[in-house]
Amino acid sequence: MTISDKREWRPNSIDDGLPKYKAIAAAIADDIAQGRLKAGDRMPTHRDLAWDLGVTVGTVSRAYAQAEQRGLIGGEVGRGTYVNATHGSMAEPPHAASSPEMGWHGPVVEFNSLHDDVDAISQHPNRKVETGAIRLNHDFPPPGLETIEVGKIMQKIAISPVLADCLSYQPHAGMEHHRQAIAGWLGRRGLNASAEKIVLTSGAHNGVLATLSALTRPGDKIATEEVCYPGIKAIAQMLGLELVPLPLDEEGIVPDACRDICKRMTIKALYCVPTFQNPTTIVMSETRRREIASIADEFDVAIVEDDVFGLLLDDGPPALASYSDENGYYVSSISKAIAPGLRIGFVHTPIGKSLRVAAAIRSSSWMASPLCAEITYELITSGAAKRVMESHRREALKRFEIFGDVFRDYEYKSHPLSLRAWLTVPEPWHVDEFVREAEQRGVTLPPTRAFTIGRARTPQAVRVSLGPPRSPQRLVQGLEILRDILEGSIPELALDVM
């Protein structure tokens, strides 16, 4: 059979002893081995094959993804799926090249030897050795399978026709198939997402900047949590916006205070982090989300929801923006769930509002990187994103337990998947003195005042990020230094009163 043949491939038989998607993938492998499928043959569309076999489109998609992981077939955006010229096995990354001239031989050997063992990755002799201060001041995921999965995908893209498109200018909102993949992914957050509502950005920070730029004018007032992501202060200063702090309780923003402020002044937008609130780790309840969304709709306030941490939480409440069709702007990225270095974020807008955000992207960064967006597309559609996120969840749980063990005698807020803890600094320590002492002992923490908005009181607590150390052993070392500081005496300098 050749590409020109009218009848596309159908399996001769399906193994009833296997799950449907595995049976279809096995049939593809068998037909390639028997010569019934040859290099360059075009595979049927997901929908056509699903119809003929009496299965769902999702089942065929999973089957194709498994066959693609084995190197048997490959997709070409806009053209379809074809049988590859060379065929691998389950242990081989797709399109793996063994030629030393192509410069890929070493990484491929590393991928094959490590598989999905995260501990092996952290102990691999080629890994970068950590030296200097133990940095617990930035939120990003601990080591997982991202280097393996992204490495495989980069090899695939390198020999794919889509590479030329990824190295050229593309629409400001992003290529359609990238936006479609993101829209499908966001269904798990309760959003009625579609490609037309999605704008790709260079990370969530860029997404918040673009959204507020599209919604506001200099001098407008923006409400936000009284302690919040420090980047919002830089964005507000750049855009000439005034931040109005809102008090928090154990469930997040206090509704009565939010309504009162909306009555007293014109609030143009509400920026907030409802899931794993930064820095307190609070997860806003579903009831509270409905209340806040109702207030926003009542006063026609745009909700700019930063859900950069929410993708790690499988069983959490739906996105706050999902409760407001007219005012909900959902911003997220893959930075905390997969890898910050890819710099791919996205804004989900109300219907008909994406063009304004895309225009803001055009003014600030022209477009998100199509190459990084293609990697993200492959991560999502191949199932690799799910595997990477699961590896991060497993490691996050380990680190949560480590923190709990070291600080079992202290007060703190955290969540098993939040990648951080909000540690109360007990008297007679002052939080600023504690941070300075930690730095002198080789542990870097963020200053708590960086999170406070306006004249809000600086809490007597510090954010401890658990993801940055590449090894659990180094994390334990840093945490034990912090505990030893709390258990020791306060330096004389800290007791000076001027």
Side-chain angles (χ1 to χ4, degrees):
M1 181 177 64
T2 65
I3 295 176
S4 61
D5 284 346
K6 293 183 179 180
R7 187 183 185 281
E8 293 178 316
W9 173 83
R10 296 295 184 272
N12 286 341
S13 62
I14 294 291
D15 187 345
D16 292 333
L18 293 173
K20 290 291 186 184
Y21 77 96
K22 289 187 177 181
I24 296 170
I28 294 172
D30 287 345
D31 280 3
I32 289 174
Q34 297 298 323
R36 288 189 289 270
L37 277 174
K38 298 180 175 61
D41 284 349
R42 181 170 183 165
M43 300 298 293
T45 66
H46 297 213
R47 188 177 300 278
D48 286 347
L49 186 58
W51 176 266
D52 286 354
L53 298 181
V55 299
T56 66
V57 174
T59 296
V60 175
S61 297
R62 293 181 70 187
Y64 276 19
Q66 186 168 101
E68 191 167 350
Q69 288 167 8
R70 295 173 64 177
L72 302 173
I73 61 176
E76 298 180 7
V77 177
R79 293 192 60 210
T81 302
Y82 296 86
V83 177
N84 283 339
T86 57
H87 313 304
S89 68
M90 285 298 290
E92 294 175 337
H95 309 299
S98 59
S99 170
E101 289 78 16
M102 298 189 75
W104 295 335
H105 181 70
V108 172
V109 172
E110 183 177 334
F111 294 155
N112 288 343
S113 64
L114 293 179
H115 296 287
D116 60 353
D117 188 343
V118 176
D119 290 334
I121 296 170
S122 66
Q123 297 167 13
H124 194 269
N126 289 338
R127 71 179 177 88
K128 185 177 180 180
V129 177
E130 294 181 274
T131 59
I134 301 173
R135 305 186 67 84
L136 305 180
N137 59 327
H138 291 301
D139 277 343
F140 56 83
L145 299 179
E146 62 276 5
T147 54
I148 293 175
E149 298 291 359
V150 172
K152 294 177 183 178
I153 288 169
M154 290 174 69
Q155 292 177 22
K156 175 183 176 181
I157 293 173
I159 58 174
S160 168
V162 77
L163 179 60
D165 292 335
C166 293
L167 297 178
S168 183
Y169 287 111
Q170 295 298 337
H172 304 299
M175 298 169 74
E176 184 175 4
H177 72 285
H178 294 161
R179 291 184 285 113
Q180 286 176 341
I182 294 294
W185 208 33
L186 292 185
R188 59 200 295 272
R189 297 298 292 125
L191 294 162
N192 183 23
S194 64
E196 292 73 20
K197 299 178 183 178
I198 301 293
V199 178
L200 297 189
T201 66
S202 299
H205 183 95
N206 180 238
V208 173
L209 172 62
T211 303
L212 288 176
S213 178
L215 294 174
T216 65
R217 296 293 179 267
D220 284 345
K221 292 179 174 62
I222 306 300
T224 190
E225 299 130 327
E226 60 185 351
V227 289
C228 198
Y229 166 57
I232 190 61
K233 294 196 284 188
I235 290 173
Q237 183 177 15
M238 178 183 294
L239 299 178
L241 306 175
E242 179 184 344
L243 294 177
V244 180
L246 296 172
L248 302 173
D249 62 14
E250 295 302 312
E251 290 192 59
I253 295 171
V254 178
D256 289 343
C258 183
R259 176 174 279 104
D260 180 62
I261 284 176
C262 289
K263 286 180 178 178
R264 289 192 291 108
M265 59 185 72
T266 300
I267 299 296
K268 193 67 175 180
L270 165 65
Y271 168 82
C272 58
V273 185
T275 303
F276 299 148
Q277 199 272 339
N278 189 5
T280 65
T281 77
I282 293 169
V283 177
M284 187 184 288
S285 69
E286 184 171 353
T287 299
R288 179 65 59 87
R289 292 172 193 241
R290 291 181 184 276
E291 289 181 273
I292 297 300
S294 176
I295 294 169
D297 286 344
E298 179 183 349
F299 292 94
D300 194 26
V301 174
I303 298 170
V304 181
E305 176 183 9
D306 187 342
D307 196 46
V308 70
F309 303 100
L311 293 174
L312 284 172
L313 190 60
D314 262 345
D315 57 352
L320 172 61
S322 69
Y323 297 108
S324 178
D325 292 337
E326 296 296 325
N327 292 305
Y329 291 78
Y330 175 93
V331 184
S332 190
S333 79
I334 65 171
S335 294
K336 313 303 182 184
I338 297 178
L342 288 175
R343 304 312 304 145
I344 287 297
F346 31 89
V347 181
H348 176 271
T349 73
I351 190 167
K353 301 295 179 65
S354 63
L355 290 179
R356 294 178 63 187
V357 178
I361 292 295
R362 178 183 184 276
S363 299
S364 61
S365 59
W366 193 262
M367 64 181 181
S369 164
L371 180 57
C372 291
E374 182 67 17
I375 293 172
T376 303
Y377 166 82
E378 289 288 345
L379 282 165
I380 293 172
T381 57
S382 70
K386 181 177 180 180
R387 293 191 292 275
V388 172
M389 290 167 65
E390 283 301 323
S391 71
H392 286 157
R393 290 188 186 103
R394 290 194 298 269
E395 187 66 15
L397 289 171
K398 292 179 186 177
R399 296 184 178 218
F400 172 78
E401 292 174 358
I402 288 172
F403 183 91
D405 183 57
V406 173
F407 287 99
R408 57 183 175 273
D409 297 326
Y410 291 87
E411 180 183 347
Y412 63 87
K413 295 178 182 177
S414 190
H415 184 283
L417 296 176
S418 68
L419 297 175
R420 80 174 86 92
W422 184 235
L423 174 65
T424 298
V425 177
E427 294 182 349
W429 280 99
H430 185 277
V431 64
D432 291 340
E433 294 157 348
F434 176 71
V435 171
R436 283 197 296 268
E437 182 66 16
E439 186 171 8
Q440 290 180 9
R441 299 203 196 180
V443 179
T444 305
L445 296 171
T448 300
R449 63 182 177 276
F451 299 96
T452 58
I453 301 299
R455 297 184 178 180
R457 181 183 61 85
T458 300
Q460 186 65 6
V462 65
R463 191 189 75 179
V464 182
S465 297
L466 308 181
R470 298 294 85 186
S471 69
Q473 294 79 9
R474 189 164 168 86
L475 174 63
V476 170
Q477 181 184 359
L479 296 179
E480 288 181 343
I481 290 173
L482 298 183
R483 183 193 60 193
D484 291 345
I485 293 173
L486 294 180
E487 292 179 350
S489 60
I490 300 178
E492 289 186 13
L493 179 62
L495 296 176
D496 288 345
V497 178
M498 301 297 290

